[in-house]
Amino acid sequence: MKKIALFADVQNLYYTVRQAHGCHFNYAALWAEVSAEGTIVEAVAYAIDRGDPKQRQFQQILRNLGFDVRLKPYIQRSDGSAKGDWDVGITLDVVDAASRVDQVVLASGDGDFDLLLQRVIERHGVEAVVYGVQGLTAMSLVRAASRYVPVEGRLLLRN
């Protein structure tokens, strides 16, 4: 049975799915689709903590699915911009996991991860699958992946 590590960039998924489809991402459908290919031996969802009750409820749903939810505090800068970037944390976790699994699944459209996927494919021989919103996923990330899966259909939670 294939061993799989699943990494979800919650902020990227939230904003790209909302922009392209006007709804939310279906994490349960992602879990079901990925687990159909093998055993998920680790799963991490990276999110920003604003401390609001609705967000805490969402984080608990992710935990109930099997995700380890990692949180960074939401930081509002004096110039009005916000900070809450998980790129380095995701990168470190993917590199660590690549030596223990057969497949790395990254749910994000962020092109900053293209070199990461190239590296884990070359050095560890893992399959690197990207789930991202079509048209909002960096082409460099799509090209770097072993396989790209567009976020559509049952991967969307429509009200």
Side-chain angles (χ1 to χ4, degrees):
M1 187 64 103
K2 188 187 303 186
K3 291 187 291 187
I4 303 170
L6 171 58
F7 303 93
D9 183 350
V10 171
Q11 299 308 113
N12 182 277
L13 291 169
Y14 175 78
Y15 288 108
T16 58
V17 169
R18 188 176 77 176
Q19 180 180 338
H21 301 288
C23 61
H24 294 286
F25 184 71
N26 188 339
Y27 287 88
L30 172 69
W31 190 278
E33 198 167 298
V34 171
S35 63
E37 292 191 29
T39 303
I40 299 173
V41 295
E42 58 189 283
V44 185
Y46 304 85
I48 304 307
D49 187 13
R50 292 178 184 239
D52 106 3
K54 222 175 150 182
Q55 195 178 50
R56 285 204 177 101
Q57 182 182 16
F58 166 69
Q59 292 161 2
Q60 191 55 51
I61 290 167
L62 292 175
R63 287 184 186 97
N64 293 344
L65 286 171
F67 283 97
D68 172 17
V69 177
R70 304 231 175 113
L71 300 172
K72 273 192 177 181
Y74 175 78
I75 298 168
Q76 184 79 40
R77 296 184 182 125
S78 58
D79 68 358
S81 65
K83 179 175 174 35
D85 192 323
W86 267 110
D87 288 6
V88 172
I90 292 170
T91 298
L92 291 172
D93 289 346
V94 169
V95 167
D96 285 348
S99 63
R100 300 186 298 269
V101 299
D102 305 302
Q103 182 183 79
V104 168
V105 176
L106 176 64
S108 177
D110 189 335
D112 289 343
F113 296 122
D114 57 1
L115 295 174
L116 166 66
L117 296 189
Q118 290 170 13
R119 178 70 52 95
V120 297
I121 290 168
E122 290 169 5
R123 297 235 172 125
H124 299 283
V126 298
E127 180 183 10
V129 179
V130 167
Y131 281 77
V133 174
Q134 204 155 18
L136 296 176
T137 297
M139 285 311 299
S140 62
L141 185 62
V142 172
R143 285 190 299 272
S146 308
R147 182 164 44 102
Y148 167 70
V149 180
V151 172
E152 57 192 15
R154 65 189 180 136
L155 291 170
L156 301 173
L157 263 181
R158 299 198 186 268
N159 294 340

